[in-house]
Amino acid sequence: MKIMLIGPSAAGKTTLIQRLIDKEIKYDKTQTVEYVGDFIDTPGEYMQQRGYWGSLTITSHDADIIGLVQDSTSEDCWFSGGLTSKFQKPVVGILTKIDREDSNQKQGRSYLELAGCTKIFPVSSYTGEGVEELFASLHQMIEQYKEDNARRYADDYFD
């Protein structure tokens, strides 16, 4: 199973991965596409500069699920309308930093909905709020995706 996280710089992609794999949470700027266990971490600049979108598209072929990550404290929207249609696999929205006082979940959710996300998970990587639900849902989606596409892959593809 591979889950690719896409979002602008400082949206919380790397921190969320650190939380999900039970690693110490510390700031670590992602410089290039990184494969971290079951996750694919992408630099925010790849989302923010159209010239890098091709790299995101190519890398998405290695993923089973795409997670669009939106910082709930940011007023900026980097996701274009209907972005989820670019990927031929499940796409979820992940709304980060919900524990912060300046969090605006309604606005962040609207950005993810604009991109085409129908499943949106509000999370806090620091407090852990919503992380277990996200993790369980991702695993459930992977199992459903494996079942739906069993004839398309070799037996050991999802190991």
Side-chain angles (χ1 to χ4, degrees), residues 47 50 53 68 77-86 110-117:
M47 182 75 240
R50 287 188 185 267
W53 283 16
L68 299 184
C77 177
W78 292 98
F79 303 119
S80 59
L83 178 65
T84 59
S85 65
K86 182 179 187 87
S110 72
Y111 293 161
L112 292 168
E113 289 170 348
L114 172 71
C117 295

Side-chain angles (χ1 to χ4, degrees), residues 4 10 17 19 23 58-59 62 64-65 84 89-90 99 104 115 122 124 126-127 132-133 138 146:
M4 180 176 171
I17 290 172
R19 178 65 171 208
K23 190 175 176 183
I58 295 298
T59 305
D62 289 345
D64 302 305
I65 293 179
T84 59
K89 50 195 66 185
D99 59 307
N104 185 344
S124 167
Y126 283 97
T127 67
E132 279 190 41
E133 180 186 349
L138 290 174
K146 283 169 44 175

Side-chain angles (χ1 to χ4, degrees), residues 3-74:
I3 300 159
M4 180 176 171
L5 299 183
I6 299 172
S9 294
K13 300 176 298 294
T14 303
T15 305
L16 178 59
I17 290 172
Q18 290 170 348
R19 178 65 171 208
L20 288 167
I21 64 173
D22 201 26
K23 190 175 176 183
E24 177 187 358
I25 294 179
K26 61 180 176 133
Y27 179 76
D28 186 18
K29 173 70 181 100
T30 304
Q31 299 294 324
T32 186
V33 173
E34 294 181 15
Y35 289 72
V36 183
D38 290 337
F39 298 92
I40 304 171
D41 194 4
T42 62
E45 292 82 3
Y46 282 31
M47 182 75 240
Q48 293 168 283
Q49 297 179 24
R50 287 188 185 267
Y52 290 114
W53 283 16
S55 179
L56 291 176
T57 302
I58 295 298
T59 305
S60 74
H61 292 283
D62 289 345
D64 302 305
I65 293 179
I66 308 296
L68 299 184
V69 181
Q70 173 66 43
D71 175 352
S72 70
T73 67
S74 176

Side-chain angles (χ1 to χ4, degrees), residues 7 26 28 47 57 60 77 87 91-92 105 115 119 135 153:
K26 61 180 176 133
D28 186 18
M47 182 75 240
T57 302
S60 74
C77 177
F87 307 104
V91 181
V92 298
Q105 290 189 48
K119 291 185 180 182
F135 197 64
Y153 300 104

